Amino acid sequence: MTATTPIRWGILGPGSIAQAFAGGVAASRTGKLVAIGARNPGKPGLAEAFPGARIVDGYEALLADPDIDAVYIAVPHPGHAQWAIRAAEAGKHVLCEKPLALTAFEADAMFHAARKAGTFLGEAFMYRLHPQTLRLVELIKSGVIGEIRMIKSSFGFAMPGFMPQHRLYANDSAGGGILDVGGYTVSMARLIAGAAAGLPFAEPDKVVGTAHLGQSGVDEWASALLHFPGGIVAEVSCSISLNQDNVLRILGTKGRIEVPDFWFAGGNRDVGLGRIDVIGADGSRETISVDEKRHVYSFEVDGAGEAILAGRQEFAWPGMDWADSLGTLRVLDRWRAAVGLEYEIEKAQLRTNTISGRPLRSSGTAIGKRAIPGLAKPASVVALGFEDFRTFSSGSILLDAFFEAGGNLFDTGFVYGGGYTETLLGQWLRNRGVREQSVIIAKGAHSPLCYPDVIGKQLAQSLDRLQTDHVDIYFMHRDNPDVPVGEFVDAMDREVKAGRIRGPFGGSNWTMQRMDEAIAYAERTGTQKPGALSNNFSLAEMLEPIWAGCVASSTDDWKAWLTSRQMPNFAWSSQGRGFFTERAGRDRRDSEELVRVWYSERNFGRRDRAIELAARLRKSPIHVALAYVLNQPFPSVPLIGPRTLGELEDSLRALDIALSPADLEWLDGGSLHAA
């Protein structure tokens, strides 16, 4: 491709929106339509609907076509993530019809694939590239209606009636108004609120949503209130069973702006001239005509084309870049959560493949494995924690990626997410059929219910959630010094004898003295000895407990004890919760937690040395911090909690750092030179 040769487009899916896009390509300055990928290439009328384009048999064939530079994804919503990821893997640039994905988590996986492939990926909100949008933003910035106070945005239409097979009503097509047209209203509100604040877009700090869910479980009409920092309030609404006026209204202290039929610039899928009405506080009205006669879809074609030709992976503003698309989808996620809208295709029963649409693979070697004393099978050198996820569709993305990289060690707890973390892991293990290959860490007896008789009751509930008859490693999540330690050992030993714990057990946030007492008690009574610990351990020493009852094990005394006992420690907050990132610094005191828990001159010295070593290794300081935990002279297994695929992949960069005892000593105290 060069600036003088057109970008060769292919289209996945030959529906009506694909025909509109084809018209935009024909009217563009940068593109040429080459081929259409169709599941039914013999369908009558395809050649007439897409004149001059080859009809290709299937989406895979289109992605394999060497004569295609970029693809427009026009398949139903549930296929967007799968085919965008596969297109990136095939080296194709992608313009994906809105919504970019079903959730922000899916979109992040798509961006991750494009980032790795070096390809363009953009969300096809064509209104954002129409000149009317830029003119509107200019008016807001000019102050013609004063300070913006409220935005009212609607996009609603009425289908002829309930049509269960139509994609807009079909649950398995992720139908309904929020995903189909609600994104228009939300993305516009974020754009306007951003323009008012001098930003490309703004994020709401409050989202309150409601909707009517119809016969098939999709939203047929819905509304939401968005509150932005600074006081701007947006009322947004959408519908597939209700006609709305579809007028964008922006209310300011000196007047208001109204834009009729904004989403098509006052026109249709071919031409929208663009009209903006500015109404003063005194009722005076000025109509501004953009008078744009080009095909409405040609602007997004050229916006994508210009980015591709310039080597950019995202749209230029006012097109939606990746952060903008993620922000809009996060609002839609919150809106859907507020109304209880989770599609059946997002649940475990139907989501049996990975985000790329493929079965889970188990041959990954990026994450190595090690033997843990008392554990019957090797466990990955890092354990995955995943408290942040609240749906199967979101959590399974990270679980799949961790497992495919070679990870098989999963950290859960009875209280995590009110029990949902265990439920999610159980669904995933059953759905993917990998329970026997996996190692489950379970925790119970968290304060205030830290008593021996609670252990069995909570473990029974955990096993039910996890859909298994045993866990591999078990920790009491807190200690209760008022209870004789032998009672806790006896309670855990009973679960071992019952077969419900089939590996080591021990304490999380237990002191050295209580562990010694517990081990001594077990040796006297012939019960199983506590064989593992889960305390904080990091290159940076925790100065004060992050939460009540927490115990850190990073001191010299602790390291000597762990080494002499060869006690496995499953270390939480192993990277100092941001202390080794740019969030921290001697002059950065905006995080109360960082300052209170980690700020000391000794820790900053360690941080300085981590930065120095990272520069030599071409890594980041957090990689060095994680490698410090991994390379201890006792079994040390860090618990990591990435929220995205990018964070997971970044964490794994620490696994190839080998640190000698001299390196560890130098990082810790600076007394020796690193090798």
Side-chain angles (χ1 to χ4, degrees):
M1 291 176 293
T2 68
T4 57
T5 59
I7 292 168
R8 299 168 298 178
W9 284 92
I11 298 178
L12 265 67
S16 62
I17 192 66
Q19 294 179 48
F21 179 79
V25 176
S28 72
R29 294 178 281 99
T30 59
K32 175 184 178 182
L33 182 59
V34 173
I36 308 296
R39 293 291 179 89
N40 180 13
K43 183 179 178 180
L46 284 184
E48 291 76 16
F50 301 96
R54 288 185 285 110
I55 308 301
V56 177
D57 187 0
Y59 304 155
E60 295 90 345
L62 186 73
L63 297 183
D65 193 325
D67 293 328
I68 300 296
D69 303 312
V71 295
Y72 172 69
I73 296 177
V75 301
H77 305 340
H80 289 183
Q82 172 184 341
W83 292 108
I85 290 170
R86 292 198 184 187
E89 292 171 348
K92 308 299 186 187
H93 304 287
V94 173
L95 181 61
C96 185
E97 184 52 36
K98 54 76 199 163
L100 186 67
L102 300 189
T103 67
F105 295 101
E106 287 192 357
D108 180 80
M110 297 161 71
F111 294 140
H112 181 68
R115 188 180 295 112
K116 290 175 65 175
T119 51
F120 171 86
L121 173 58
E123 186 171 17
F125 273 114
M126 64 87 176
Y127 85 87
R128 288 292 288 268
L129 280 302
H130 192 284
Q132 178 181 252
T133 298
L134 183 58
R135 185 72 183 98
L136 178 65
V137 169
E138 291 170 347
L139 287 169
I140 292 167
K141 290 182 176 181
S142 75
V144 66
I145 60 169
E147 296 182 12
I148 307 302
R149 292 286 185 261
M150 184 170 286
I151 304 161
K152 298 185 178 185
S153 178
S154 65
F155 194 166
F157 53 88
M159 294 288 286
F162 178 66
M163 305 164 66
Q165 302 307 314
H166 195 283
R167 69 169 187 86
L168 287 173
Y169 287 98
N171 196 293
D172 60 3
S173 293
I178 293 176
L179 284 191
D180 197 66
V181 289
Y184 283 93
T185 64
V186 169
S187 62
M188 175 49 71
R190 294 173 61 258
L191 176 71
I192 295 168
L199 302 170
F201 52 82
E203 303 294 359
D205 51 21
K206 296 178 185 175
V207 176
V208 180
T210 188
H212 169 74
L213 304 184
Q215 299 177 51
S216 58
V218 307
D219 61 297
E220 296 190 10
W221 51 90
S223 292
L225 287 176
L226 282 54
H227 180 276
F228 292 89
I232 295 176
V233 173
E235 301 175 3
V236 298
S237 60
C238 59
S239 51
I240 60 171
S241 299
L242 180 69
N243 283 316
Q244 300 193 46
D245 63 8
N246 298 337
V247 176
L248 172 66
R249 295 178 174 88
I250 307 166
L251 285 65
T253 55
K254 297 180 181 178
R256 69 183 190 275
I257 290 174
E258 294 185 353
V259 189
D261 296 317
F262 184 86
W263 315 116
F264 292 98
N268 52 38
R269 283 185 170 181
D270 294 322
V271 176
L273 297 178
R275 183 188 115 192
I276 302 171
D277 294 329
V278 180
I279 300 108
D282 59 358
S284 60
R285 179 182 292 265
E286 178 188 4
T287 297
I288 298 170
S289 178
V290 180
D291 198 27
E292 179 56 64
K293 298 181 177 63
R294 284 182 61 191
H295 196 288
V296 292
Y297 283 87
S298 67
F299 302 104
E300 69 175 10
V301 176
D302 286 332
E306 289 161 6
I308 292 167
L309 292 171
R312 299 194 310 268
Q313 292 186 266
E314 308 174 58
F315 271 123
W317 186 87
M320 293 177 68
D321 63 14
W322 294 355
D324 200 354
S325 288
L326 281 173
T328 292
L329 278 166
R330 288 188 183 113
V331 174
L332 300 186
D333 289 346
R334 293 165 72 180
W335 192 354
R336 282 212 286 144
V339 303
L341 177 54
E342 182 181 12
Y343 300 105
E344 293 301 313
I345 53 168
E346 297 179 284
K347 298 177 182 178
Q349 295 89 330
L350 296 180
R351 186 155 290 219
T352 55
N353 287 327
T354 67
I355 189 69
S356 66
R358 303 183 181 99
L360 185 69
R361 295 171 289 195
S362 59
S363 56
T365 58
I367 303 175
K369 292 184 173 64
R370 68 180 303 166
I372 299 292
L375 193 63
K377 51 191 165 186
S380 52
V381 296
V382 293
L384 179 69
F386 46 97
E387 277 190 81
D388 293 331
F389 301 99
R390 292 295 176 267
T391 64
F392 182 82
S393 65
S394 60
S396 62
I397 296 171
L398 195 69
L399 289 164
D400 288 342
F402 180 73
F403 187 85
E404 289 194 329
N408 73 332
L409 181 57
F410 302 97
D411 177 58
T412 68
F414 180 80
V415 298
Y416 291 174
Y420 185 70
T421 300
E422 291 181 330
T423 299
L424 172 55
L425 179 59
Q427 291 174 336
W428 181 82
L429 292 168
R430 172 65 63 87
N431 178 290
R432 301 301 196 251
V434 294
R435 171 63 187 99
E436 293 307 310
Q437 298 166 258
S438 302
V439 178
I440 300 175
I441 301 171
K443 302 188 190 78
H446 193 286
S447 300
L449 297 177
C450 192
Y451 298 99
D453 63 337
V454 169
I455 291 173
K457 298 172 184 176
Q458 290 187 346
L459 182 55
Q461 192 170 344
S462 292
L463 294 176
D464 183 61
R465 294 169 178 166
L466 290 163
Q467 302 186 51
T468 185
D469 62 354
H470 72 281
V471 298
D472 302 283
I473 302 169
Y474 179 84
F475 292 113
M476 284 183 51
H477 211 171
R478 291 287 193 276
D479 189 12
N480 185 347
D482 294 333
V483 176
V485 74
E487 295 183 24
F488 287 125
V489 174
D490 288 342
M492 290 186 281
D493 183 68
R494 282 194 292 272
E495 299 304 326
V496 172
K497 289 182 168 58
R500 302 204 299 179
I501 299 174
R502 298 188 188 175
F505 62 73
S508 176
N509 297 297
W510 273 41
T511 65
M512 195 186 308
Q513 292 75 18
R514 286 282 278 187
M515 284 292 290
D516 282 336
E517 290 175 21
I519 292 169
Y521 173 85
E523 290 174 340
R524 289 196 310 270
T525 59
T527 52
Q528 178 167 313
K529 293 189 292 186
L533 188 71
S534 184
N535 284 1
N536 166 252
F537 185 87
S538 171
L539 176 57
E541 289 184 27
M542 190 172 72
L543 308 176
E544 291 186 19
I546 300 175
W547 304 285
C550 288
V551 175
S553 300
S554 302
T555 64
D556 292 339
D557 287 347
W558 262 112
K559 282 182 278 192
W561 184 89
L562 289 164
T563 302
S564 65
R565 288 274 190 187
Q566 283 298 291
M567 179 66 67
N569 183 48
F570 294 78
W572 54 266
S573 293
S574 54
Q575 294 168 294
R577 295 178 66 82
F579 181 72
F580 293 94
T581 71
E582 294 180 355
R583 290 179 52 217
R586 289 174 174 85
D587 58 343
R588 297 290 302 274
R589 309 189 70 84
D590 47 328
S591 170
E592 182 276 335
E593 181 187 286
L594 282 176
V595 173
R596 174 176 59 86
V597 176
W598 308 104
Y599 276 31
S600 72
E601 193 49 46
R602 187 176 184 187
N603 276 344
F604 274 119
R606 292 164 171 148
R607 184 176 183 272
D608 292 340
R609 290 185 288 277
I611 292 171
E612 178 185 334
L613 182 56
R616 278 189 270 142
L617 297 175
R618 296 185 179 181
K619 302 281 188 177
S620 296
I622 57 171
H623 302 143
V624 173
L626 188 59
Y628 175 85
V629 178
L630 286 162
N631 285 271
Q632 290 298 314
F634 56 86
S636 181
V637 182
L639 312 178
I640 60 173
R643 294 178 296 273
T644 67
L645 297 183
E647 290 180 0
L648 172 62
E649 194 166 278
D650 186 66
S651 292
L652 300 188
R653 292 188 63 205
L655 301 187
D656 61 0
I657 299 177
L659 298 176
S660 68
D663 295 330
L664 296 175
E665 187 173 350
W666 176 76
L667 284 167
D668 186 37
S671 57
L672 296 173
H673 292 292

